[in-house]
Amino acid sequence: MDVAGKARVLTRSRSPAMGAMAGLAPSRSAIDETSDLVRMRQTYLEALPIAAAVVTLRTGSLKIHAANAAWKRLDSQRVAGRDHVLDGVGCADEIIAVLNGDSEAQQFEWRDGGMIDGRHFTVSVAALCAGDRADARVLVTLIDRTNEVQTEKSLRLEMLTDSLTGLMNRAGFVDHLETRMIDDGSENYAVMIVDLARFSRVNECVGSLGGDELIITVARRLMSTLRGYDLLARTGANEFAMVVRLVDGPGDVLHVARRVGEVLSRPCKLSDFEIKVDCAVGCALATESGVDAEKLMRHAQIALKEAKRTQRVELYQPAALAASHRCFTLETELRRAIESESLDMAFQPLMALGTGRIAGFEALARWNHPDLGVVPPSEFIAVAEESGLIIPLGRWALDRALSTLKSWDKAAGRDLPLYVGVNLSAIQVQRDDIAGLVGAALRDHRLSGYRLSVELTESAIVADPERAGRTLDALKSVDAMVAMDDFGTGFSNLASLQKLPIDTLKIDRSFITGMLGDPDKIAIVRAILSLAQALGMTTTAEGIETRELSQTLAALGCTTGQGYFYSPALEPDAALRFALDSLG
């Protein structure tokens, strides 16, 4: 057999796979390929489930050597004027790099067209066996990810958009603000947060649909206050935020805040109601280089909190952040102190003005932190009420006061004729089972109820007289005494006061201090004493600091008094010695 015959036998004996390789491998010239090889190559291309083509380089541009039907369908959608789909910008360089042997394979994402109408592909490029670089070929596959990318964009847009107003939500707002600050410089922007007051009451009155209508109305009005380069977002249920670009300096944000106040001052008509929308506005300026969007939002929130208190537009002050950090530090440390029972209890004597002997003590919580030092009660009680720690703190105070009183009885060898007053917060009255708590504490320490006076502020009783009445009745059922603290500073209804089982009115120190030189204060104190006498209640005057004041109050008929004239708050052992000396 001649050489040509052997070649024909070898060609016929090759397997289909070898034939495919032969078909895909470039020859010296495309015209040398047999029709069988062309059909074999096309068969394998068609078998691929994705758009695929064999691509070569001719006269500096890419040419499609062979392609399957999926590729041709994509190619038919190409932009007019292109030879093929790969003519689009951003794809050819990677393919040519493989054709030139600079890389064996490439895979990359490619957008063909503009931001809105463009198509998105995952492009894979793999070199095919080549005899020489002049006739090199690559296999290019395209996976059309346009629908997937558009779905991702839609989901992301949905995640970053408020469904009710169509504005950005908090996440979208922060992302957009971050981008702006990076592009234009952080010092050029401010954040303003607008919080709607009484929104929950609107929902209660007109329903959730009415509340939604109010939010949409407010959003439209706030949009009217924006300049072309500002941005509005809804960042909470009743909260909106604005990015204000500072064109003419920090005064821009105050100018926008004034416009917000003006547009919201007009009542909103909802159903049959006209509702005036009150708001609090807090602003923060990006005055320091490097401040990020989240930090700017936190600063604006701090300013908003102050605005709710002052009822005016507030700009963030650095000292406010330090105060906020201290509050969180105190909350953390107070929680640990309550759990470890590392707080202290001091006792201020309550003196019977008629006899000059001790009648009892008011228990006062004290906190000496190893790092923070002495934290005043006015500070940590406020933190406890805001954080909810007032409930475990009140329970601790009740238990510690009764435990100390029982230890005094044991040390004296008898039941001392003393009672202890314990302050309970209005928040604890609302959320806790006060009567059950007091009854259990008295039983645990084996003390009679008359040896405990539960002190509730006037505001706590006035806030919900019906609930307060039930609580006080339950306290009386365990024989505990009840005192209304800070009397005269609230707005007690005398009819309700007559019905409530209160044993003692504690006259606020603001009426006692300087009383002797102020006829009006004397008249007020005299009236309170007469009222208490008519209702069968005893009275306690706070803040007695002189003998003359003590004698005057006694002459007016005040039952007991406390103040620095008698003694400051004492440690438990010192308080016991004071009591024993007074009792004789």
PDB file of all heavy atoms in Angstrom, residues 227-254:
ATOM      1  N   ARG A 227     -33.460  71.210  47.225  1.00  0.00           N
ATOM      2  CA  ARG A 227     -32.822  71.812  46.066  1.00  0.00           C
ATOM      3  C   ARG A 227     -32.393  70.694  45.111  1.00  0.00           C
ATOM      4  O   ARG A 227     -32.504  69.521  45.448  1.00  0.00           O
ATOM      5  CB  ARG A 227     -31.619  72.643  46.517  1.00  0.00           C
ATOM      6  CG  ARG A 227     -31.997  73.751  47.520  1.00  0.00           C
ATOM      7  CD  ARG A 227     -30.801  74.280  48.243  1.00  0.00           C
ATOM      8  NE  ARG A 227     -30.119  73.238  48.982  1.00  0.00           N
ATOM      9  CZ  ARG A 227     -28.965  73.409  49.619  1.00  0.00           C
ATOM     10  NH1 ARG A 227     -28.375  74.584  49.606  1.00  0.00           N
ATOM     11  NH2 ARG A 227     -28.406  72.399  50.259  1.00  0.00           N
ATOM     12  N   GLY A 228     -31.905  71.053  43.946  1.00  0.00           N
ATOM     13  CA  GLY A 228     -31.628  70.052  42.919  1.00  0.00           C
ATOM     14  C   GLY A 228     -30.618  69.005  43.322  1.00  0.00           C
ATOM     15  O   GLY A 228     -30.645  67.880  42.831  1.00  0.00           O
ATOM     16  N   TYR A 229     -29.701  69.340  44.232  1.00  0.00           N
ATOM     17  CA  TYR A 229     -28.629  68.411  44.584  1.00  0.00           C
ATOM     18  C   TYR A 229     -28.827  67.802  45.971  1.00  0.00           C
ATOM     19  O   TYR A 229     -27.946  67.162  46.502  1.00  0.00           O
ATOM     20  CB  TYR A 229     -27.270  69.133  44.517  1.00  0.00           C
ATOM     21  CG  TYR A 229     -27.349  70.621  44.792  1.00  0.00           C
ATOM     22  CD1 TYR A 229     -27.589  71.102  46.073  1.00  0.00           C
ATOM     23  CD2 TYR A 229     -27.220  71.515  43.744  1.00  0.00           C
ATOM     24  CE1 TYR A 229     -27.697  72.465  46.296  1.00  0.00           C
ATOM     25  CE2 TYR A 229     -27.325  72.883  43.969  1.00  0.00           C
ATOM     26  CZ  TYR A 229     -27.565  73.353  45.252  1.00  0.00           C
ATOM     27  OH  TYR A 229     -27.679  74.695  45.478  1.00  0.00           O
ATOM     28  N   ASP A 230     -29.999  68.036  46.601  1.00  0.00           N
ATOM     29  CA  ASP A 230     -30.299  67.399  47.885  1.00  0.00           C
ATOM     30  C   ASP A 230     -31.006  66.069  47.643  1.00  0.00           C
ATOM     31  O   ASP A 230     -31.420  65.754  46.524  1.00  0.00           O
ATOM     32  CB  ASP A 230     -31.175  68.310  48.749  1.00  0.00           C
ATOM     33  CG  ASP A 230     -30.459  69.600  49.131  1.00  0.00           C
ATOM     34  OD1 ASP A 230     -29.213  69.592  49.138  1.00  0.00           O
ATOM     35  OD2 ASP A 230     -31.145  70.603  49.403  1.00  0.00           O
ATOM     36  N   LEU A 231     -31.158  65.288  48.712  1.00  0.00           N
ATOM     37  CA  LEU A 231     -31.766  63.955  48.585  1.00  0.00           C
ATOM     38  C   LEU A 231     -32.619  63.684  49.818  1.00  0.00           C
ATOM     39  O   LEU A 231     -32.238  64.029  50.944  1.00  0.00           O
ATOM     40  CB  LEU A 231     -30.683  62.875  48.478  1.00  0.00           C
ATOM     41  CG  LEU A 231     -31.169  61.427  48.464  1.00  0.00           C
ATOM     42  CD1 LEU A 231     -31.850  61.124  47.134  1.00  0.00           C
ATOM     43  CD2 LEU A 231     -30.017  60.462  48.686  1.00  0.00           C
ATOM     44  N   LEU A 232     -33.785  63.073  49.606  1.00  0.00           N
ATOM     45  CA  LEU A 232     -34.703  62.727  50.692  1.00  0.00           C
ATOM     46  C   LEU A 232     -34.868  61.219  50.759  1.00  0.00           C
ATOM     47  O   LEU A 232     -34.932  60.546  49.734  1.00  0.00           O
ATOM     48  CB  LEU A 232     -36.066  63.393  50.456  1.00  0.00           C
ATOM     49  CG  LEU A 232     -37.180  63.066  51.450  1.00  0.00           C
ATOM     50  CD1 LEU A 232     -36.855  63.644  52.836  1.00  0.00           C
ATOM     51  CD2 LEU A 232     -38.517  63.604  50.953  1.00  0.00           C
ATOM     52  N   ALA A 233     -34.960  60.673  51.982  1.00  0.00           N
ATOM     53  CA  ALA A 233     -35.187  59.234  52.187  1.00  0.00           C
ATOM     54  C   ALA A 233     -36.102  59.060  53.389  1.00  0.00           C
ATOM     55  O   ALA A 233     -36.184  59.932  54.267  1.00  0.00           O
ATOM     56  CB  ALA A 233     -33.868  58.499  52.410  1.00  0.00           C
ATOM     57  N   ARG A 234     -36.799  57.939  53.414  1.00  0.00           N
ATOM     58  CA  ARG A 234     -37.578  57.571  54.601  1.00  0.00           C
ATOM     59  C   ARG A 234     -36.778  56.503  55.351  1.00  0.00           C
ATOM     60  O   ARG A 234     -36.626  55.383  54.898  1.00  0.00           O
ATOM     61  CB  ARG A 234     -38.942  57.022  54.210  1.00  0.00           C
ATOM     62  CG  ARG A 234     -39.836  56.751  55.429  1.00  0.00           C
ATOM     63  CD  ARG A 234     -41.106  56.043  55.044  1.00  0.00           C
ATOM     64  NE  ARG A 234     -41.961  55.777  56.207  1.00  0.00           N
ATOM     65  CZ  ARG A 234     -42.927  54.876  56.233  1.00  0.00           C
ATOM     66  NH1 ARG A 234     -43.171  54.123  55.156  1.00  0.00           N
ATOM     67  NH2 ARG A 234     -43.632  54.693  57.333  1.00  0.00           N
ATOM     68  N   THR A 235     -36.282  56.882  56.520  1.00  0.00           N
ATOM     69  CA  THR A 235     -35.354  56.017  57.245  1.00  0.00           C
ATOM     70  C   THR A 235     -35.985  55.321  58.443  1.00  0.00           C
ATOM     71  O   THR A 235     -35.319  54.580  59.144  1.00  0.00           O
ATOM     72  CB  THR A 235     -34.144  56.835  57.717  1.00  0.00           C
ATOM     73  OG1 THR A 235     -34.595  57.984  58.451  1.00  0.00           O
ATOM     74  CG2 THR A 235     -33.315  57.300  56.530  1.00  0.00           C
ATOM     75  N   GLY A 236     -37.269  55.561  58.693  1.00  0.00           N
ATOM     76  CA  GLY A 236     -37.958  54.908  59.802  1.00  0.00           C
ATOM     77  C   GLY A 236     -39.453  55.067  59.620  1.00  0.00           C
ATOM     78  O   GLY A 236     -39.923  55.713  58.676  1.00  0.00           O
ATOM     79  N   ALA A 237     -40.225  54.483  60.530  1.00  0.00           N
ATOM     80  CA  ALA A 237     -41.679  54.533  60.414  1.00  0.00           C
ATOM     81  C   ALA A 237     -42.186  55.967  60.361  1.00  0.00           C
ATOM     82  O   ALA A 237     -43.056  56.304  59.554  1.00  0.00           O
ATOM     83  CB  ALA A 237     -42.318  53.785  61.574  1.00  0.00           C
ATOM     84  N   ASN A 238     -41.652  56.829  61.211  1.00  0.00           N
ATOM     85  CA  ASN A 238     -42.063  58.233  61.237  1.00  0.00           C
ATOM     86  C   ASN A 238     -40.847  59.158  61.143  1.00  0.00           C
ATOM     87  O   ASN A 238     -40.825  60.229  61.728  1.00  0.00           O
ATOM     88  CB  ASN A 238     -42.846  58.531  62.518  1.00  0.00           C
ATOM     89  CG  ASN A 238     -42.047  58.241  63.769  1.00  0.00           C
ATOM     90  OD1 ASN A 238     -41.248  57.320  63.801  1.00  0.00           O
ATOM     91  ND2 ASN A 238     -42.244  59.033  64.802  1.00  0.00           N
ATOM     92  N   GLU A 239     -39.845  58.702  60.387  1.00  0.00           N
ATOM     93  CA  GLU A 239     -38.588  59.445  60.313  1.00  0.00           C
ATOM     94  C   GLU A 239     -38.131  59.575  58.866  1.00  0.00           C
ATOM     95  O   GLU A 239     -38.164  58.618  58.093  1.00  0.00           O
ATOM     96  CB  GLU A 239     -37.524  58.709  61.136  1.00  0.00           C
ATOM     97  CG  GLU A 239     -36.172  59.399  61.177  1.00  0.00           C
ATOM     98  CD  GLU A 239     -35.166  58.590  61.966  1.00  0.00           C
ATOM     99  OE1 GLU A 239     -35.195  58.659  63.199  1.00  0.00           O
ATOM    100  OE2 GLU A 239     -34.364  57.878  61.341  1.00  0.00           O
ATOM    101  N   PHE A 240     -37.723  60.787  58.514  1.00  0.00           N
ATOM    102  CA  PHE A 240     -37.157  61.062  57.200  1.00  0.00           C
ATOM    103  C   PHE A 240     -35.753  61.627  57.370  1.00  0.00           C
ATOM    104  O   PHE A 240     -35.448  62.247  58.397  1.00  0.00           O
ATOM    105  CB  PHE A 240     -38.016  62.082  56.432  1.00  0.00           C
ATOM    106  CG  PHE A 240     -39.373  61.573  56.044  1.00  0.00           C
ATOM    107  CD1 PHE A 240     -40.434  61.644  56.934  1.00  0.00           C
ATOM    108  CD2 PHE A 240     -39.589  61.018  54.799  1.00  0.00           C
ATOM    109  CE1 PHE A 240     -41.698  61.177  56.591  1.00  0.00           C
ATOM    110  CE2 PHE A 240     -40.843  60.546  54.432  1.00  0.00           C
ATOM    111  CZ  PHE A 240     -41.900  60.623  55.337  1.00  0.00           C
ATOM    112  N   ALA A 241     -34.904  61.404  56.370  1.00  0.00           N
ATOM    113  CA  ALA A 241     -33.550  61.949  56.409  1.00  0.00           C
ATOM    114  C   ALA A 241     -33.250  62.641  55.088  1.00  0.00           C
ATOM    115  O   ALA A 241     -33.761  62.250  54.028  1.00  0.00           O
ATOM    116  CB  ALA A 241     -32.528  60.836  56.656  1.00  0.00           C
ATOM    117  N   MET A 242     -32.449  63.690  55.166  1.00  0.00           N
ATOM    118  CA  MET A 242     -32.062  64.443  53.979  1.00  0.00           C
ATOM    119  C   MET A 242     -30.550  64.555  53.902  1.00  0.00           C
ATOM    120  O   MET A 242     -29.885  64.759  54.923  1.00  0.00           O
ATOM    121  CB  MET A 242     -32.640  65.861  54.019  1.00  0.00           C
ATOM    122  CG  MET A 242     -34.140  65.948  53.931  1.00  0.00           C
ATOM    123  SD  MET A 242     -34.651  67.693  53.903  1.00  0.00           S
ATOM    124  CE  MET A 242     -36.427  67.497  53.831  1.00  0.00           C
ATOM    125  N   VAL A 243     -30.033  64.439  52.690  1.00  0.00           N
ATOM    126  CA  VAL A 243     -28.657  64.835  52.416  1.00  0.00           C
ATOM    127  C   VAL A 243     -28.717  66.265  51.907  1.00  0.00           C
ATOM    128  O   VAL A 243     -29.392  66.550  50.919  1.00  0.00           O
ATOM    129  CB  VAL A 243     -28.005  63.934  51.352  1.00  0.00           C
ATOM    130  CG1 VAL A 243     -26.615  64.456  51.014  1.00  0.00           C
ATOM    131  CG2 VAL A 243     -27.910  62.506  51.848  1.00  0.00           C
ATOM    132  N   VAL A 244     -28.058  67.168  52.603  1.00  0.00           N
ATOM    133  CA  VAL A 244     -28.049  68.578  52.214  1.00  0.00           C
ATOM    134  C   VAL A 244     -26.635  68.941  51.773  1.00  0.00           C
ATOM    135  O   VAL A 244     -25.685  68.828  52.559  1.00  0.00           O
ATOM    136  CB  VAL A 244     -28.494  69.476  53.389  1.00  0.00           C
ATOM    137  CG1 VAL A 244     -28.449  70.944  52.971  1.00  0.00           C
ATOM    138  CG2 VAL A 244     -29.888  69.092  53.854  1.00  0.00           C
ATOM    139  N   ARG A 245     -26.507  69.336  50.532  1.00  0.00           N
ATOM    140  CA  ARG A 245     -25.193  69.755  50.056  1.00  0.00           C
ATOM    141  C   ARG A 245     -24.933  71.192  50.500  1.00  0.00           C
ATOM    142  O   ARG A 245     -25.786  72.068  50.333  1.00  0.00           O
ATOM    143  CB  ARG A 245     -25.105  69.657  48.539  1.00  0.00           C
ATOM    144  CG  ARG A 245     -23.688  69.921  48.025  1.00  0.00           C
ATOM    145  CD  ARG A 245     -23.574  69.679  46.548  1.00  0.00           C
ATOM    146  NE  ARG A 245     -22.201  69.897  46.095  1.00  0.00           N
ATOM    147  CZ  ARG A 245     -21.822  69.832  44.832  1.00  0.00           C
ATOM    148  NH1 ARG A 245     -22.697  69.537  43.901  1.00  0.00           N
ATOM    149  NH2 ARG A 245     -20.573  70.046  44.499  1.00  0.00           N
ATOM    150  N   LEU A 246     -23.764  71.420  51.056  1.00  0.00           N
ATOM    151  CA  LEU A 246     -23.411  72.730  51.584  1.00  0.00           C
ATOM    152  C   LEU A 246     -22.752  73.550  50.490  1.00  0.00           C
ATOM    153  O   LEU A 246     -21.546  73.460  50.262  1.00  0.00           O
ATOM    154  CB  LEU A 246     -22.476  72.587  52.793  1.00  0.00           C
ATOM    155  CG  LEU A 246     -23.004  71.699  53.934  1.00  0.00           C
ATOM    156  CD1 LEU A 246     -21.974  71.610  55.044  1.00  0.00           C
ATOM    157  CD2 LEU A 246     -24.331  72.203  54.456  1.00  0.00           C
ATOM    158  N   VAL A 247     -23.560  74.350  49.814  1.00  0.00           N
ATOM    159  CA  VAL A 247     -23.053  75.189  48.729  1.00  0.00           C
ATOM    160  C   VAL A 247     -22.506  76.500  49.280  1.00  0.00           C
ATOM    161  O   VAL A 247     -21.414  76.942  48.932  1.00  0.00           O
ATOM    162  CB  VAL A 247     -24.165  75.464  47.698  1.00  0.00           C
ATOM    163  CG1 VAL A 247     -23.640  76.372  46.585  1.00  0.00           C
ATOM    164  CG2 VAL A 247     -24.688  74.161  47.116  1.00  0.00           C
ATOM    165  N   ASP A 248     -23.296  77.123  50.173  1.00  0.00           N
ATOM    166  CA  ASP A 248     -22.903  78.411  50.748  1.00  0.00           C
ATOM    167  C   ASP A 248     -22.465  78.287  52.209  1.00  0.00           C
ATOM    168  O   ASP A 248     -22.523  79.253  52.961  1.00  0.00           O
ATOM    169  CB  ASP A 248     -24.078  79.397  50.651  1.00  0.00           C
ATOM    170  CG  ASP A 248     -24.460  79.683  49.211  1.00  0.00           C
ATOM    171  OD1 ASP A 248     -23.539  79.753  48.375  1.00  0.00           O
ATOM    172  OD2 ASP A 248     -25.659  79.816  48.927  1.00  0.00           O
ATOM    173  N   GLY A 249     -22.077  77.079  52.623  1.00  0.00           N
ATOM    174  CA  GLY A 249     -21.605  76.903  53.987  1.00  0.00           C
ATOM    175  C   GLY A 249     -22.636  76.244  54.888  1.00  0.00           C
ATOM    176  O   GLY A 249     -23.725  75.855  54.443  1.00  0.00           O
ATOM    177  N   PRO A 250     -22.318  76.103  56.189  1.00  0.00           N
ATOM    178  CA  PRO A 250     -23.201  75.408  57.138  1.00  0.00           C
ATOM    179  C   PRO A 250     -24.593  76.002  57.236  1.00  0.00           C
ATOM    180  O   PRO A 250     -25.537  75.323  57.633  1.00  0.00           O
ATOM    181  CB  PRO A 250     -22.454  75.546  58.468  1.00  0.00           C
ATOM    182  CG  PRO A 250     -21.021  75.746  58.082  1.00  0.00           C
ATOM    183  CD  PRO A 250     -21.056  76.517  56.811  1.00  0.00           C
ATOM    184  N   GLY A 251     -24.742  77.280  56.874  1.00  0.00           N
ATOM    185  CA  GLY A 251     -26.061  77.902  56.949  1.00  0.00           C
ATOM    186  C   GLY A 251     -27.087  77.258  56.036  1.00  0.00           C
ATOM    187  O   GLY A 251     -28.302  77.407  56.247  1.00  0.00           O
ATOM    188  N   ASP A 252     -26.635  76.509  55.029  1.00  0.00           N
ATOM    189  CA  ASP A 252     -27.564  75.853  54.104  1.00  0.00           C
ATOM    190  C   ASP A 252     -28.487  74.882  54.820  1.00  0.00           C
ATOM    191  O   ASP A 252     -29.682  74.804  54.518  1.00  0.00           O
ATOM    192  CB  ASP A 252     -26.785  75.106  53.010  1.00  0.00           C
ATOM    193  CG  ASP A 252     -26.257  76.043  51.942  1.00  0.00           C
ATOM    194  OD1 ASP A 252     -26.542  77.244  52.035  1.00  0.00           O
ATOM    195  OD2 ASP A 252     -25.551  75.572  51.034  1.00  0.00           O
ATOM    196  N   VAL A 253     -27.939  74.114  55.756  1.00  0.00           N
ATOM    197  CA  VAL A 253     -28.750  73.100  56.419  1.00  0.00           C
ATOM    198  C   VAL A 253     -29.811  73.759  57.302  1.00  0.00           C
ATOM    199  O   VAL A 253     -30.942  73.275  57.413  1.00  0.00           O
ATOM    200  CB  VAL A 253     -27.858  72.125  57.226  1.00  0.00           C
ATOM    201  CG1 VAL A 253     -27.246  72.798  58.447  1.00  0.00           C
ATOM    202  CG2 VAL A 253     -28.668  70.902  57.670  1.00  0.00           C
ATOM    203  N   LEU A 254     -29.477  74.884  57.918  1.00  0.00           N
ATOM    204  CA  LEU A 254     -30.465  75.598  58.732  1.00  0.00           C
ATOM    205  C   LEU A 254     -31.534  76.235  57.842  1.00  0.00           C
ATOM    206  O   LEU A 254     -32.712  76.305  58.231  1.00  0.00           O
ATOM    207  CB  LEU A 254     -29.774  76.670  59.575  1.00  0.00           C
ATOM    208  CG  LEU A 254     -28.781  76.143  60.620  1.00  0.00           C
ATOM    209  CD1 LEU A 254     -28.133  77.306  61.363  1.00  0.00           C
ATOM    210  CD2 LEU A 254     -29.483  75.214  61.597  1.00  0.00           C
TER     211      LEU A 254
END
